[in-house]
Amino acid sequence: MSTVAEPAAGASGPTPGRGGNVTVETRARRRLTGLTMVAPMLIVVLVFMGWPAVWTFVLSFTNMTVTGPTATHYQFVGLANYRELFTYGSGLLDSVGKSLYYLIVSGYIGQAALGFLLAYFLSRSAYGVRAAVGAVVIVAWLIPEIVTSYMWYVLLSDGGVMQQGYHVFGLNYQTWLISNPMLAVSLANAWRGAAFSFLLFSAALDGIPNDLIDASEVDGASSWRRLTRLTIPLVSSAIVVDLVIITLGTLNDFSLIYAMTGGGPGNASNVLSVFMYRQAFSNYQLAYGTAIAVVLLLMGAVLAALYIRLLRRQGSLADMR
Amino acid sequence: MSVLTAFLAVVAIGLGSSITGSAGAAGSPSVTLTVAYWSGFNPAGTNIMPAWISASAKELQKTYPNVKVVGDEITTSSESEYYSKLDLTERSARTAPDVVFEDSFLIGSDASAGFLRPLPQLQSWSGWKSYYPAMKSSVTYNGKIYGAMNSTDVQLVYYSHKLFKQAGLPATWQPRSWADVLSAARAVARHDSGGVPLGGYTGQAVGEASSFRGFEVFLNGTKDRLYDYTTHKWEVSGPGFDATWKLLAQMQPVEEPESMWSNPLADATVDLQLIPHQQVGIVFDGSWVPTAFVPGGLAPWPGFSSAYGEAAIPTQAGAAPGSTNQSGGWALSVPSMASHPSLSQAFIEAASSAPILASFDPASGNLPPRVDVLTQPAWQASVKVNPVSRFASAQLPYTTFRPNLPDYVLVSNVIQQLTGEISTRSITPSQAATTYASQVTQIVGSGNVERLKQ
């Protein structure tokens, strides 16, 4: 590949002899032009995204509160917030566990896996089925999150649709929002979010050349073998993109859980994002809340880096590079 | 030349604007005051806050005709979120309202943050001497006044005549001790399996209500208090604390199920669903509950007075004076960053005058913080419609107030959390006592606590 590419690149560039300095100048000019064009966006990103992130990090080392003497006269307290956070009984471990549950059940299983399976089976279905199921899934995604939360609240709460349904069959309904709130919010989030993975995987599956599938069928590969050895490796870049986006989106999800359960009952659905909000804005411990935000940020970053690394090691990301 | 032209143009523009500015000031331009308040005080379908602000603005305009007043409704589902939003607006001159409407328990905390402006001139205001003593101390922090109360309440025990009759309990009831309450609730439970024997507040979902009405009002019926004003220390343990945690655990089997108390709308479930259907035997709640049932209220129900009776909250074992109370209430204050502090204070005086409060307090379901409101025609007319307010206002001269200290907000959070954990049986009363002592010590510092012995 490279032996072919290099002369081709040389041929299109300036001719040797009068070109050495010109090439450097041209490259520098191009770089400057590029930088100038990117600059407005870069400034926007640094000011509106970079600065708040840095400020959050800085605040996490202070004792700033929403009200009280330290609301305005706060001091740097070193690692005190982190020490308190990592002390047994702070609630951090419990919240990390709930966030991971939410990520696995609603993110990995409910969104990524379900979205992939939907896309995989629908890609082999008749157009009508594909259009109908696809439309339903996408409509769920189009509904605003707060409306989804309310719909699921009405469905699962005391006296809700689910309870009525159970009563029709003479069954006793244990309010899921109380008896199993994590499962309740995970179902709602999966219902809403599966569409994103479905769309992403549908596009990736459509990109697999038909002759590859046909050739594997001629070679006598079973459906399972075709899926695991052909389809999945070919869409691995889409899988990584999906996992990164879903991990960050699910770990940071707040509004759906807060609207459905408020993090309760008690602390039963107190995932990290709700734990952070409660500490910062209900308990008024602003700096302590920012320390939780930093932990949440690091968790997402570590997981995202892990996916990319694992898949790179398998060499399946060649097409991404 | 072009630089000179530009310079002259800039000077001309500057002069023009300064001339306009001074002319405006001389002609007393209209000033707009913004009054920030919580949506929870203005439920859908009502017009309580805009009506009060508009009536107060008219009163203010008699002296300051060019002052306009606009209400800024801050919408949040819970009270604590409202305080967070309000405190964040008070941080900057660009966002600070001119007048803030906040629960008086937050005044000490906000004053210590430097968010509120001391208003010493209120002492020379003619209305000040009419306030009940507890209402003056509730807006005072470190010896300085930070606002004026406009509403208050007392806590009561409501009991269902129907369920009491079924359980063989008296038609007119005044419990003399906690034991009387428990035995009545258990009797109701034995005779009415479908309803809720005892309704109260517990857990973090309902916020401050759980510490106030779910714990402190009972603790005040013992010899212990949250804060000892003589030693200036927080009491973190003692026989009264132990007894109160135990009482909450004893109430748990007869109180409403977790699905009812574990959401921010728990009070609406008890007050607006269970009470009108006479499905709750005993309810510990504020004096505002019957306001929903008067004509024009949220759920008009003329039968309330004949369906439920009201009683004072008993002390632990009937010790004098036989009943106990604690009052909350809201005040108007001026943020430090407000642009027109003297006009803000003039608005507060107008909005807190006796004739204005005589309309606002009954409409918002509150009791007046000033004794002279009780003789106003509007208040007397409201008592005829809502007789409970006569019984409730009679408790006002003897009521108490929460510690008006910055740390109270954090201590209250600990109480909310522990009441919820007792209600879910996650902890025992003795574990609650130990956790309370250690967490409050951590919040206020070990040099600021005292432990009462048996």
Side-chain angles (χ1 to χ4, degrees):
Chain A
M1 266 305 261
S2 61
T3 50
V4 178
E6 272 169 12
S12 66
T15 48
R18 59 175 182 146
N21 288 337
V22 176
T23 309
V24 171
E25 270 178 35
T26 311
R27 275 188 190 158
R29 201 178 303 145
R30 274 189 191 160
R31 206 167 279 173
L32 190 70
T33 313
L35 205 65
T36 314
M37 295 179 88
V38 169
M41 201 57 227
L42 199 67
I43 291 169
V44 168
V45 168
L46 285 178
V47 171
F48 292 104
M49 299 178 87
W51 172 241
V54 170
W55 186 235
T56 299
F57 189 69
V58 171
L59 277 186
S60 73
F61 296 101
T62 70
N63 60 355
M64 192 190 212
T65 50
V66 171
T67 181
T70 52
T72 39
H73 302 287
Y74 56 92
Q75 295 108 23
F76 280 91
V77 291
L79 292 169
N81 287 324
Y82 291 96
R83 266 201 296 275
E84 194 182 332
L85 198 54
F86 287 99
T87 305
Y88 180 75
S90 71
L92 177 72
L93 203 63
D94 182 54
S95 287
V96 167
K98 292 197 163 77
S99 280
L100 288 177
Y101 175 100
Y102 191 55
L103 176 63
I104 293 166
V105 177
S106 86
Y108 295 164
I109 301 173
Q111 293 186 37
L114 190 68
F116 180 82
L117 290 176
L118 269 172
Y120 183 69
F121 288 114
L122 286 180
S123 69
R124 303 146 67 92
S125 315
Y127 176 77
V129 177
R130 195 174 174 176
V133 177
V136 170
V137 173
I138 291 165
V139 162
W141 191 42
L142 291 178
I143 295 174
E145 193 172 16
I146 195 72
V147 178
T148 303
S149 316
Y150 188 68
M151 281 167 52
W152 277 82
Y153 178 82
V154 169
L155 182 73
L156 300 177
S157 62
D158 252 7
V161 180
M162 193 77 127
Q163 190 175 39
Q164 314 273 344
Y166 267 60
H167 280 180
V168 169
F169 295 102
L171 297 169
N172 190 23
Y173 175 67
Q174 289 280 320
T175 313
W176 288 7
L177 288 170
I178 304 295
S179 63
N180 202 341
M182 281 310 300
L183 182 65
V185 294
S186 298
L187 280 176
N189 192 39
W191 180 83
R192 179 172 187 270
F196 173 77
S197 302
F198 165 71
L199 285 175
L200 194 75
F201 290 130
S202 292
L205 290 171
D206 284 346
I208 298 177
N210 280 336
D211 47 358
L212 274 180
I213 308 279
D214 296 342
S216 66
E217 273 177 8
V218 170
D219 288 345
S222 65
S223 320
W224 175 249
R225 213 171 159 76
R226 278 206 305 280
L227 173 69
T228 54
R229 295 295 171 91
L230 186 71
T231 310
I232 290 180
L234 282 173
V235 297
S236 60
S237 59
I239 293 176
V240 176
V241 171
D242 188 58
L243 284 180
V244 170
I245 293 174
I246 280 190
T247 299
L248 298 180
T250 309
L251 280 181
N252 293 331
D253 189 26
F254 166 78
S255 44
L256 185 133
I257 302 175
Y258 197 71
M260 281 180 71
T261 65
N267 290 325
S269 55
N270 203 29
V271 296
L272 269 177
S273 57
V274 177
F275 181 44
M276 171 188 75
Y277 180 84
R278 277 177 161 185
Q279 291 297 335
F281 298 112
S282 294
N283 295 353
Y284 313 120
Q285 302 299 300
L286 214 49
Y288 190 57
T290 57
I292 302 170
V294 170
V295 171
L296 187 59
L297 184 81
L298 289 177
M299 233 173 105
V302 166
L303 283 173
L306 202 69
Y307 305 140
I308 295 171
R309 185 149 246 222
L310 275 175
L311 283 158
R312 270 196 179 154
R313 195 177 288 169
Q314 287 176 0
S316 55
L317 274 183
D319 51 344
M320 269 191 94
R321 281 186 220 131
Chain B
M1 188 63 187
S2 63
V3 173
L4 183 65
T5 314
F7 174 74
L8 288 174
V10 169
V11 170
I13 291 166
L15 279 175
S17 62
S18 66
I19 287 164
T20 314
S22 60
S28 60
S30 66
V31 170
T32 302
L33 296 180
T34 310
V35 181
Y37 64 89
W38 180 41
S39 56
F41 251 76
N42 199 45
T46 68
N47 192 38
I48 297 165
M49 295 302 285
W52 177 44
I53 291 170
S54 145
S56 308
K58 274 186 196 142
E59 190 64 31
L60 179 72
Q61 282 155 357
K62 287 179 185 166
T63 320
Y64 301 96
N66 291 325
V67 175
K68 284 184 193 162
V69 184
V70 294
D72 179 15
E73 182 167 307
I74 297 180
T75 306
T76 64
S77 60
S78 74
E79 255 182 82
S80 57
E81 285 173 7
Y82 167 66
Y83 307 141
S84 283
K85 281 194 174 180
L86 195 64
D87 283 347
L88 293 174
T89 66
E90 286 168 354
R91 281 175 181 268
S92 159
R94 271 182 294 177
T95 53
D98 294 292
V99 178
V100 290
F101 178 70
E102 61 181 53
D103 195 323
S104 47
F105 86 90
L106 205 70
I107 284 181
S109 190
D110 279 356
S112 72
F115 292 153
L116 300 180
R117 173 184 282 270
L119 302 171
Q121 306 89 329
L122 277 178
Q123 278 187 92
S124 48
W125 167 47
S126 60
W128 188 248
K129 60 183 185 300
S130 303
Y131 278 88
Y132 293 108
M135 302 302 136
K136 288 180 183 170
S137 61
S138 64
V139 290
T140 306
Y141 172 69
N142 260 358
K144 290 180 183 166
I145 297 166
Y146 283 90
M149 295 287 285
N150 47 65
S151 53
T152 187
D153 50 59
V154 294
Q155 315 315 308
L156 301 173
V157 195
Y158 299 95
Y159 57 97
S160 158
H161 291 309
K162 180 183 143 196
L163 298 183
F164 265 46
K165 194 176 176 186
Q166 278 177 16
L169 293 165
T172 305
W173 184 61
Q174 174 54 64
R176 299 288 166 204
S177 65
W178 295 351
D180 282 358
V181 174
L182 286 171
S183 68
R186 287 169 188 149
V188 171
R190 278 195 298 275
H191 291 85
D192 181 58
S193 55
V196 171
L198 183 72
Y201 289 90
T202 187
Q204 281 183 306
V206 284
E208 173 65 12
S210 290
S211 45
F212 190 105
R213 273 175 284 289
F215 180 83
E216 291 158 20
V217 79
F218 299 118
L219 181 73
N220 285 347
T222 73
K223 287 182 178 165
D224 293 358
R225 293 290 179 273
L226 283 187
Y227 188 77
D228 185 338
Y229 283 95
T230 52
T231 60
H232 297 286
K233 288 182 191 294
W234 290 85
E235 293 182 9
V236 292
S237 62
F241 279 91
D242 293 345
T244 308
W245 296 121
K246 194 176 162 197
L247 171 71
L248 301 188
Q250 287 171 324
M251 284 177 167
Q252 190 273 334
V254 284
E255 71 185 5
E256 67 265 47
E258 192 179 355
S259 58
M260 281 186 194
W261 61 254
S262 60
N263 66 75
L265 301 175
D267 56 339
T269 308
V270 174
D271 297 347
L272 299 177
Q273 290 178 26
L274 297 184
I275 289 181
H277 292 101
Q278 300 186 59
Q279 287 175 334
V280 55
I282 300 168
V283 182
F284 282 91
D285 213 328
S287 46
W288 59 81
V289 170
T291 315
F293 308 125
V294 303
L298 278 176
W301 176 34
F304 172 77
S305 296
S306 50
Y308 277 85
E310 68 277 351
I313 295 178
T315 53
Q316 181 186 1
S323 67
T324 178
N325 226 309
Q326 183 168 272
S327 289
W330 291 59
L332 288 174
S333 299
V334 182
S336 304
M337 302 264 189
S339 315
H340 312 285
S342 55
L343 285 176
S344 297
Q345 184 180 323
F347 174 81
I348 292 177
E349 290 175 6
S352 312
S353 65
I356 296 270
L357 292 187
S359 296
F360 170 67
D361 286 329
S364 60
N366 283 290
L367 300 175
R370 300 171 51 153
V371 69
D372 54 351
V373 176
L374 301 180
T375 53
Q376 291 287 324
W379 174 261
Q380 289 180 336
S382 77
V383 171
K384 286 185 189 141
V385 185
N386 178 12
V388 175
S389 53
R390 187 189 302 277
F391 178 84
S393 57
Q395 319 278 324
L396 278 172
Y398 317 104
T399 193
T400 60
F401 219 83
R402 286 163 286 187
N404 202 353
L405 297 161
D407 288 330
Y408 172 76
V409 179
L410 300 176
V411 173
S412 171
N413 278 328
V414 175
I415 300 173
Q416 291 163 36
Q417 179 200 330
L418 293 175
T419 57
E421 287 177 9
I422 284 192
S423 289
T424 53
R425 291 194 167 273
S426 313
I427 53 170
T428 62
S430 63
Q431 284 170 327
T434 314
T435 310
Y436 180 80
S438 69
Q439 292 199 6
V440 173
T441 305
Q442 203 179 343
I443 291 168
V444 303
S446 53
N448 298 317
V449 300
E450 62 186 15
R451 292 162 188 269
L452 301 182
K453 300 218 166 65
Q454 296 290 335

